[in-house]
Amino acid sequence: MHWVETFLEVLRSPPQQHELAYLAMYLDLVRAGIIPCREDSRHFRPSHHAAIAQRIEGHLTRLTTPENEPIIRRIFTSLPSYEERFTRSEPLTRIRDIAHRNDIPKELKHEIKVTLQNKLHRCAGPEDLITSERLLSRVTQSESHYPAEFVDELRTFHQELKQFFNAQDLKERLREMADQADDLAFKQALHEFLAAREKETSRLDEAESLLRQATALRRWCLQKVSESDEANRLAYRITEIQLEQDAFMQTSALLNRIDSLEDEGWKHGIALIKEVLENLRLNGNTREEIAAILAELSSISEEDPGSNQACLRMRATLERCQRVYEDITDRILERFGKALNDLGAAFQITDEIIRQRSDDEIRRNLVFQFSKLTTWLQKRLVSGSEPRVWEAINTGEAEGELHHRITLETDVSHHADSVILVLDEAEGDEEIPNNVMGIILRHEIPHLSHLSVRARQSRIPLVTCSDPSRYEKLIATSGQPVRLKVGPEDTTITTFTDKRAPARSENEKAKEQTEQPTASSHVELQLHQPVLPVQEVTPATGGRKADSLRQLEALAQKQGASFHTLPTLVIPFAGLESTIDACETTAAEYRRLLSTLDQGATGKDRPAQQLQDLVLGLPVPKSWLKTIEQSFGSNARFAIRSSSSLEDSPGSVAAGVYDSRINIPPERLPDAIRQVWASLWSERAIWNREQNRLPHNAAHMAVIVQSLLDPDYSFILHTVNPLSNRHTEVYMEIVVGLGETLAGSAQRG
């Protein structure tokens, strides 16, 4: 606790998300007893820890932003209580009185004094709660041998200790909160929820009402956090988080119940997914996108449910839901996966424990139930189309020898270096062998099963096949080299005529050479003007994306144009380079890390995170910010977009590879600019360049600064239909509200 406080106090700037993730996972492992608390001869009463928790909570409250809120919520759950009774100089004194009772055996008095009283006064830790629980269990099992008053006192102390460590269950916490509430409406809502929760009911409408009550109480607790004094804030925070966990269990039970319904199941499923979305929004996840989906679901409900229009809209909306849970899942893995692995290595925790904790980050999160519910609704969706043979769990392409196996536990190491598995069974918890490049599974599987998440992390295409005859034909081709291509809409499996991949034609080779992006000779890295009006940008200074905006601006200015463009400025490629070169030490380290990357470093040796950290620490000159403010005004909100030297050009597909930041106020402009710069060195961007055989030293980043539009709809317009490849057709992907879902995703809208 003291280390966490010190870290937060010495920060010169707000911590990065990955730093907060390390704090959250460290405290989580301590709380679970996986990282043990060891004494170091110093003495600290529980009041010391309570005071530290109070200061940490204050630091975190000041540091909370919409981006880091889901991580900071995790840290709150590991803090002890700092209610007044725990911050007084001698807290938890009841144990002292218990240890000095004259009506219990001397040996028991000694045990209580040594294992609890003295330990709490030296250095309180989560292990004390375990000691207290074991002692209480032993005493109550032999209750007839001990005075009832002693047992009651020990039971009361154990409850106090649970309150100190914020280890009460939801029922205990809500009862205590209801007893202390001054707000009569809130008090009544708590009592009604507790009464409904106690009641065993077979009625579906009452079960659905209970989930709505839990959601309403979460909103109430969040409101109380902003209204309450510091002493009570943490209690409301933790209650709100426990209500989210309760919603997880309720959603699981409701999904099991509606699964057995026929026609009515669809209606209840829509109501359930809306409630789950509300809960995910309360967590701080993709609030704008969830709000748009909720609005769309409400609009669809007003249409004829049997109409083709309603069916098409529902299918598109469920695909948006799928993108939401994939996005949240990716963020969870990105935030906490690396932190857990690094902490596991540092504290010598077994790989099995760390892997289990990583899996639990997904499977105990409400997004897991959301993924199951979305998949269930997609299956129940009635349409005029024929059933789909393939369901893409993870899209991508792979090549290898096709081999049939019953399960993944069957050894495949003696097969080729690259294997495409035709798999009969998967429980969803399997590890994927290193030589497996793709998986075709005979049965359905949850999108967020362990196997699916691991395939997603490893970029291994995974698809299910619902057609038995098609599956049997695949088995018959076992041993043949194939190319597996899994897309959102369809899957193709191409068998080679020989044991090698077909050689590329000379025309293909020539096309690849002409379409390969050129190196930095076509990029202007001399800084003449740090912030350019879009009318002055060129591909050499700001990239093809920025240059496309210049062309749009020119079209909008022509007589008879039927559209307007947004005010736009561009920080050219030379902006990042000059900022790096401004410090000789920084420049030397940057070039060294880039050299390591260009030499083919892989795995842990790949300096992606170091490059990102270096860029995230760069200063953004105040003169640049002043120029932007003078152009847009001090109250503007911005869209900060990437424009790299290796995207939007023939031979380089980079949609969604680099980051953009939306809805940025002026005070957060420097962070947003740095984040766009740093996305040049994300694992995703590095992998994309390597897949396209692009040199890393040819990668440069310009930043597009635009005023934020508040749209009713957003769209991406393809001037060639990407599904049919017909030049005579245009294809539009559209969403309600902001277009981040489209611009930030490789999947369809």
Side-chain angles (χ1 to χ4, degrees), residues 684-710:
R684 178 177 55 188
I686 291 171
W687 179 84
N688 178 269
R689 291 195 290 271
E690 290 174 350
Q691 292 299 303
N692 288 286
R693 299 185 295 280
L694 301 174
H696 294 298
N697 60 17
H700 304 280
M701 182 64 75
V703 180
I704 298 168
V705 181
Q706 294 181 302
S707 60
L708 183 70
L709 197 65
D710 186 16

CSV table of all heavy atoms in Angstrom, one decimal, residues 684-710:
chain,number,residue,atom,x,y,z
A,684,ARG,N,0.5,-4.0,-33.0
A,684,ARG,CA,-0.4,-4.2,-34.2
A,684,ARG,C,0.3,-3.6,-35.4
A,684,ARG,O,0.3,-4.1,-36.5
A,684,ARG,CB,-1.7,-3.6,-33.9
A,684,ARG,CG,-2.7,-3.6,-35.0
A,684,ARG,CD,-4.0,-3.0,-34.6
A,684,ARG,NE,-3.9,-1.7,-34.0
A,684,ARG,CZ,-4.9,-1.0,-33.4
A,684,ARG,NH1,-6.0,-1.5,-33.3
A,684,ARG,NH2,-4.6,0.2,-33.0
A,685,ALA,N,0.8,-2.3,-35.2
A,685,ALA,CA,1.4,-1.6,-36.4
A,685,ALA,C,2.7,-2.3,-36.9
A,685,ALA,O,2.9,-2.4,-38.1
A,685,ALA,CB,1.7,-0.2,-36.0
A,686,ILE,N,3.5,-2.7,-35.9
A,686,ILE,CA,4.7,-3.4,-36.3
A,686,ILE,C,4.4,-4.7,-37.0
A,686,ILE,O,5.0,-5.0,-38.0
A,686,ILE,CB,5.6,-3.7,-35.0
A,686,ILE,CG1,6.1,-2.4,-34.4
A,686,ILE,CG2,6.7,-4.7,-35.3
A,686,ILE,CD1,6.7,-2.5,-33.1
A,687,TRP,N,3.5,-5.5,-36.5
A,687,TRP,CA,3.1,-6.7,-37.1
A,687,TRP,C,2.5,-6.5,-38.5
A,687,TRP,O,2.9,-7.2,-39.5
A,687,TRP,CB,2.0,-7.4,-36.3
A,687,TRP,CG,1.5,-8.7,-36.8
A,687,TRP,CD1,2.1,-10.0,-36.7
A,687,TRP,CD2,0.4,-8.9,-37.7
A,687,TRP,NE1,1.4,-10.9,-37.4
A,687,TRP,CE2,0.3,-10.3,-38.0
A,687,TRP,CE3,-0.6,-8.1,-38.1
A,687,TRP,CZ2,-0.7,-10.8,-38.7
A,687,TRP,CZ3,-1.7,-8.6,-38.9
A,687,TRP,CH2,-1.7,-10.0,-39.2
A,688,ASN,N,1.7,-5.4,-38.7
A,688,ASN,CA,1.2,-5.1,-40.0
A,688,ASN,C,2.3,-4.8,-41.0
A,688,ASN,O,2.2,-5.3,-42.2
A,688,ASN,CB,0.2,-3.9,-39.9
A,688,ASN,CG,-0.4,-3.5,-41.2
A,688,ASN,OD1,0.2,-2.7,-41.9
A,688,ASN,ND2,-1.5,-4.1,-41.6
A,689,ARG,N,3.3,-4.0,-40.6
A,689,ARG,CA,4.4,-3.7,-41.5
A,689,ARG,C,5.2,-5.0,-41.9
A,689,ARG,O,5.6,-5.2,-43.0
A,689,ARG,CB,5.3,-2.7,-40.9
A,689,ARG,CG,4.6,-1.3,-40.8
A,689,ARG,CD,5.6,-0.2,-40.6
A,689,ARG,NE,6.2,-0.2,-39.2
A,689,ARG,CZ,5.7,0.3,-38.2
A,689,ARG,NH1,4.5,1.0,-38.3
A,689,ARG,NH2,6.2,0.3,-37.0
A,690,GLU,N,5.4,-5.8,-40.9
A,690,GLU,CA,6.1,-7.1,-41.2
A,690,GLU,C,5.3,-8.0,-42.1
A,690,GLU,O,5.9,-8.6,-43.0
A,690,GLU,CB,6.5,-7.8,-39.8
A,690,GLU,CG,7.5,-7.0,-39.0
A,690,GLU,CD,7.7,-7.6,-37.6
A,690,GLU,OE1,7.0,-8.5,-37.2
A,690,GLU,OE2,8.7,-7.1,-37.0
A,691,GLN,N,4.0,-8.1,-41.9
A,691,GLN,CA,3.2,-8.9,-42.8
A,691,GLN,C,3.2,-8.4,-44.2
A,691,GLN,O,3.2,-9.1,-45.2
A,691,GLN,CB,1.8,-8.9,-42.3
A,691,GLN,CG,1.6,-9.6,-40.9
A,691,GLN,CD,2.0,-11.1,-41.1
A,691,GLN,OE1,1.4,-11.8,-41.9
A,691,GLN,NE2,2.9,-11.5,-40.2
A,692,ASN,N,3.3,-7.1,-44.4
A,692,ASN,CA,3.4,-6.4,-45.7
A,692,ASN,C,4.8,-6.2,-46.2
A,692,ASN,O,5.0,-5.5,-47.2
A,692,ASN,CB,2.6,-5.1,-45.7
A,692,ASN,CG,1.1,-5.3,-45.6
A,692,ASN,OD1,0.5,-5.7,-46.5
A,692,ASN,ND2,0.6,-5.0,-44.4
A,693,ARG,N,5.8,-6.7,-45.4
A,693,ARG,CA,7.2,-6.6,-45.8
A,693,ARG,C,7.6,-5.2,-46.0
A,693,ARG,O,8.2,-4.8,-47.0
A,693,ARG,CB,7.5,-7.5,-47.0
A,693,ARG,CG,7.2,-8.9,-46.8
A,693,ARG,CD,7.7,-9.8,-48.0
A,693,ARG,NE,6.9,-9.5,-49.2
A,693,ARG,CZ,5.6,-9.9,-49.4
A,693,ARG,NH1,5.1,-10.8,-48.6
A,693,ARG,NH2,5.0,-9.6,-50.5
A,694,LEU,N,7.2,-4.3,-45.1
A,694,LEU,CA,7.5,-2.9,-45.1
A,694,LEU,C,8.6,-2.6,-44.1
A,694,LEU,O,8.5,-3.0,-43.0
A,694,LEU,CB,6.3,-2.0,-44.8
A,694,LEU,CG,5.1,-2.3,-45.7
A,694,LEU,CD1,3.9,-1.5,-45.2
A,694,LEU,CD2,5.4,-1.9,-47.2
A,695,PRO,N,9.6,-1.8,-44.5
A,695,PRO,CA,10.7,-1.5,-43.6
A,695,PRO,C,10.2,-0.5,-42.5
A,695,PRO,O,9.5,0.5,-42.7
A,695,PRO,CB,11.7,-0.8,-44.5
A,695,PRO,CG,11.0,-0.2,-45.6
A,695,PRO,CD,9.8,-1.2,-45.8
A,696,HIS,N,10.6,-0.8,-41.2
A,696,HIS,CA,10.2,0.1,-40.1
A,696,HIS,C,10.7,1.5,-40.2
A,696,HIS,O,10.1,2.4,-39.8
A,696,HIS,CB,10.6,-0.6,-38.8
A,696,HIS,CG,9.9,-1.9,-38.5
A,696,HIS,ND1,8.5,-1.9,-38.4
A,696,HIS,CD2,10.3,-3.1,-38.3
A,696,HIS,CE1,8.1,-3.2,-38.1
A,696,HIS,NE2,9.2,-3.9,-38.1
A,697,ASN,N,11.9,1.6,-40.8
A,697,ASN,CA,12.5,2.9,-40.9
A,697,ASN,C,11.9,3.8,-41.9
A,697,ASN,O,12.2,5.0,-42.0
A,697,ASN,CB,14.1,2.8,-41.1
A,697,ASN,CG,14.4,2.1,-42.4
A,697,ASN,OD1,13.5,2.0,-43.3
A,697,ASN,ND2,15.6,1.7,-42.6
A,698,ALA,N,10.9,3.2,-42.7
A,698,ALA,CA,10.2,4.1,-43.6
A,698,ALA,C,8.9,4.5,-43.0
A,698,ALA,O,8.1,5.2,-43.7
A,698,ALA,CB,9.9,3.2,-44.9
A,699,ALA,N,8.6,4.2,-41.8
A,699,ALA,CA,7.3,4.5,-41.1
A,699,ALA,C,7.5,5.9,-40.4
A,699,ALA,O,8.3,6.0,-39.5
A,699,ALA,CB,7.0,3.4,-40.1
A,700,HIS,N,6.6,6.8,-40.7
A,700,HIS,CA,6.6,8.1,-40.1
A,700,HIS,C,5.2,8.5,-39.8
A,700,HIS,O,4.2,7.9,-40.5
A,700,HIS,CB,7.3,9.2,-41.0
A,700,HIS,CG,8.7,8.8,-41.4
A,700,HIS,ND1,9.8,9.0,-40.5
A,700,HIS,CD2,9.2,8.2,-42.5
A,700,HIS,CE1,10.9,8.6,-41.1
A,700,HIS,NE2,10.5,8.1,-42.3
A,701,MET,N,4.9,9.4,-38.9
A,701,MET,CA,3.6,9.7,-38.5
A,701,MET,C,3.3,11.2,-38.5
A,701,MET,O,4.0,12.0,-37.9
A,701,MET,CB,3.3,9.1,-37.1
A,701,MET,CG,1.8,9.4,-36.7
A,701,MET,SD,0.6,8.5,-37.7
A,701,MET,CE,0.8,6.8,-37.1
A,702,ALA,N,2.3,11.6,-39.3
A,702,ALA,CA,1.7,12.9,-39.2
A,702,ALA,C,0.4,12.9,-38.4
A,702,ALA,O,-0.1,11.8,-38.2
A,702,ALA,CB,1.5,13.5,-40.6
A,703,VAL,N,0.0,14.0,-37.9
A,703,VAL,CA,-1.2,14.1,-37.1
A,703,VAL,C,-2.2,15.1,-37.7
A,703,VAL,O,-1.8,16.2,-38.0
A,703,VAL,CB,-0.9,14.5,-35.6
A,703,VAL,CG1,-2.1,14.6,-34.8
A,703,VAL,CG2,0.2,13.6,-35.0
A,704,ILE,N,-3.4,14.6,-37.9
A,704,ILE,CA,-4.5,15.4,-38.5
A,704,ILE,C,-5.3,16.0,-37.3
A,704,ILE,O,-5.7,15.2,-36.4
A,704,ILE,CB,-5.4,14.6,-39.4
A,704,ILE,CG1,-4.6,14.1,-40.6
A,704,ILE,CG2,-6.6,15.5,-39.9
A,704,ILE,CD1,-5.3,13.1,-41.4
A,705,VAL,N,-5.5,17.3,-37.2
A,705,VAL,CA,-6.3,17.9,-36.2
A,705,VAL,C,-7.5,18.5,-36.8
A,705,VAL,O,-7.4,19.4,-37.6
A,705,VAL,CB,-5.5,19.0,-35.4
A,705,VAL,CG1,-6.3,19.6,-34.3
A,705,VAL,CG2,-4.2,18.4,-34.9
A,706,GLN,N,-8.7,18.0,-36.4
A,706,GLN,CA,-10.0,18.5,-36.9
A,706,GLN,C,-10.9,18.8,-35.8
A,706,GLN,O,-10.8,18.3,-34.7
A,706,GLN,CB,-10.6,17.4,-37.8
A,706,GLN,CG,-9.9,17.1,-39.1
A,706,GLN,CD,-10.6,16.1,-39.9
A,706,GLN,OE1,-10.8,15.0,-39.5
A,706,GLN,NE2,-10.9,16.4,-41.2
A,707,SER,N,-11.8,19.8,-36.0
A,707,SER,CA,-12.9,20.0,-35.1
A,707,SER,C,-13.8,18.9,-35.1
A,707,SER,O,-14.1,18.3,-36.1
A,707,SER,CB,-13.6,21.3,-35.4
A,707,SER,OG,-14.2,21.3,-36.7
A,708,LEU,N,-14.4,18.5,-33.9
A,708,LEU,CA,-15.2,17.4,-33.7
A,708,LEU,C,-16.6,17.7,-34.2
A,708,LEU,O,-17.2,18.7,-33.9
A,708,LEU,CB,-15.3,16.9,-32.3
A,708,LEU,CG,-16.1,15.7,-32.0
A,708,LEU,CD1,-15.4,14.4,-32.6
A,708,LEU,CD2,-16.4,15.5,-30.5
A,709,LEU,N,-17.2,16.8,-35.1
A,709,LEU,CA,-18.5,16.9,-35.5
A,709,LEU,C,-19.4,16.1,-34.6
A,709,LEU,O,-19.0,15.0,-34.2
A,709,LEU,CB,-18.6,16.4,-37.0
A,709,LEU,CG,-19.9,16.8,-37.8
A,709,LEU,CD1,-19.9,18.3,-38.0
A,709,LEU,CD2,-19.8,16.1,-39.1
A,710,ASP,N,-20.6,16.5,-34.3
A,710,ASP,CA,-21.6,15.7,-33.6
A,710,ASP,C,-22.6,15.2,-34.5
A,710,ASP,O,-23.7,15.8,-34.7
A,710,ASP,CB,-22.2,16.6,-32.4
A,710,ASP,CG,-23.1,15.8,-31.5
A,710,ASP,OD1,-23.0,14.5,-31.6
A,710,ASP,OD2,-23.9,16.4,-30.8
